[in-house]
Amino acid sequence: MADPRGFLKVRQRETQPRRPVPVRIMDWKEVYEAQEKGTLKAQAGRCMDCGVPFCHQGCPLGNLIPEWNDLMWRDKGDEAIERLHATNNFPEFTGRLCPAPCEASCVLGINQPAVTIKQVEVSIIDEAWDNGWVNPLPPARLTGKTIAVVGSGPAGLAVAQQLTRVGHTVAVYERDDKIGGLLRYGIPDFKMEKEQVDRRVEQMKAEGTRFRTGVSVGTDVTWEQLRRRYDAVVVCTGATVPRDLPIPGRDLDGVHFAMDYLVPANRAVAGETIENQINAHGKHVVILGGGDTGADCLGTAHRHGAASVTTLAIGKQPPAERASHQPWPTFPTLFEVASAHEEGGERTYLASTVEFVGENGRLTGVKVAETEFVDGKRLPKAGTERIIPADLVFLSLGFTGAEPAGITEQVSAEFDGRGNVARDGYYMTNTEGVFVAGDAGRGQSLIVWAIAEGRAAAAAVDKYLMGSTILPAPVAPTDRAIAVL
């Protein structure tokens, strides 16, 4: 294990330092700085190597957390990255973007601050890239089987890399001009710079994965054409249909979905010229929704130079500590201060949005009221209405499912009642040879679930094509375990 007395000697949890707010809002570089090596090793040494490491069950990937904590503490980074890559294809993504449910289930977290698992993870992969320890792993032989993966987010990339490495010929189709899905155009650079995506894509190309960008499956090429051309098709298009708020004034100029703001902003950061880009400079901004996407809008608005930013959430402010109904080792809902919240803005809870108000078709404000709970429903309380001045409103209310994109019409794949592509316990839709993984089949979820499902779906596809598989299957899409894989 790591330092046997580490959790007794080092009781303080130290996370990565963040660049000063006045400095970082002037650019789009990542907020976090690398941690000093001695501090990092001390933090890794707090890992107890528990008899039953609950951090394993907290992570859908089943990451071997005590093992690579120990190796990092022993300064064996080359071995640590091998153990990390054994369960996680893209730790540079998860180490920056995952909310770390593993830390919520850390045994040390019962009576001390949890081990900084996420921080150790991202430090391992960053050191590995810096030292040339991340290399292509092309297959020793080809099977002759071909697979189309539609969508290049974390699920699609995980499926493609796993299947390429066992010898299948894999082509990834992406409708955007570059690979990465929302990793590239949905996540701002201050959370993850796109070098992280680019160099992983280069590794995958060297392994043999083929990429087809600028192809919209369902229109440019049909799903049926892919099904005839390839031995298997895997749908990894994500859950990208945004949840709307159909209240009076919704059609006013100035009310936008969050992604209509974030995607052009990310393209502009990448050096593209964007016509009619939504820019918050000098404007009063209201963000509806208190999740990660709302925080992304908040940080982006700060960097655009917004006059003010207000975030509204309909529910109660989460507690700072675990509630009794969310005991260890469950993943609790807590009040968190993301880097974007440190940079300014007002956060208001128990705020029900009643109406968007405006003049001459243009948004001027948001009418809100206090939220009250009636028979389990959240309703605006009469007599508490007020208007918040607003030039821009961003709807960050989550997503309702996958885009249809002709899937049902072209290959008869069905959708379930939650707007997701339906699948069985082996990731296959009702159409033989067509599989689905990630948010497209699961619904909006965490990046670790996307990668875990991608890895498991790859095992299911490999078994379907070859009769057996050596690929690991970390999770099942239903309660039915994939034991036979």
Side-chain angles (χ1 to χ4, degrees), residues 159-343:
V159 169
Q161 186 165 67
Q162 292 292 95
L163 291 173
T164 296
R165 287 178 172 179
V166 293
H168 302 307
T169 300
V170 182
V172 178
Y173 287 81
E174 171 57 56
R175 65 182 176 183
D176 285 327
D177 57 330
K178 293 182 180 179
I179 295 297
L182 290 184
L183 287 172
R184 181 175 297 279
Y185 290 128
I187 303 296
D189 280 43
F190 58 79
K191 289 179 67 173
M192 186 182 75
E193 295 179 37
K194 300 310 174 277
E195 175 194 15
Q196 307 299 335
V197 179
D198 292 337
R199 58 188 178 185
R200 190 60 81 168
V201 170
E202 289 305 311
Q203 180 205 31
M204 294 179 64
K205 287 181 178 178
E207 291 173 343
T209 302
R210 304 174 183 183
F211 294 97
R212 307 281 187 264
T213 57
V215 180
S216 182
V217 176
T219 53
D220 296 336
V221 60
T222 68
W223 294 94
E224 180 58 31
Q225 286 174 323
L226 289 186
R227 188 179 174 218
R228 291 198 303 266
R229 187 181 305 173
Y230 295 90
D231 296 307
V233 176
V234 188
V235 181
C236 297
T237 53
T240 55
V241 178
R243 180 173 284 106
D244 206 346
L245 185 62
I247 60 174
R250 173 63 183 87
D251 58 346
L252 288 170
D253 185 16
V255 182
H256 307 276
F257 288 119
M259 286 302 162
D260 292 339
Y261 175 55
L262 292 175
V263 172
N266 288 328
R267 287 184 175 274
V269 171
E272 298 183 30
T273 300
I274 308 298
E275 294 184 3
N276 302 318
Q277 180 187 349
I278 304 167
N279 195 304
H281 181 74
K283 297 180 179 179
H284 298 286
V285 177
V286 173
I287 300 167
L288 303 187
D292 287 342
T293 304
D296 293 345
C297 291
L298 177 63
T300 301
H302 288 150
R303 285 157 180 78
H304 280 167
S308 70
V309 188
T310 303
T311 300
L312 303 180
I314 193 173
K316 299 178 181 178
Q317 178 175 319
E321 298 181 355
R322 282 184 184 273
S324 58
H325 66 282
Q326 294 178 327
W328 178 90
T330 59
F331 187 42
T333 300
L334 300 175
F335 179 73
E336 296 183 358
V337 179
S339 64
H341 299 129
E342 291 180 336
E343 296 164 2

Side-chain angles (χ1 to χ4, degrees), residues 41 53 60 74 78 124 367 375 387 396 404:
K41 290 176 63 175
R74 297 177 186 278
D78 55 337
I124 291 172
K367 182 184 286 188
D375 298 329
I387 293 179
S396 177

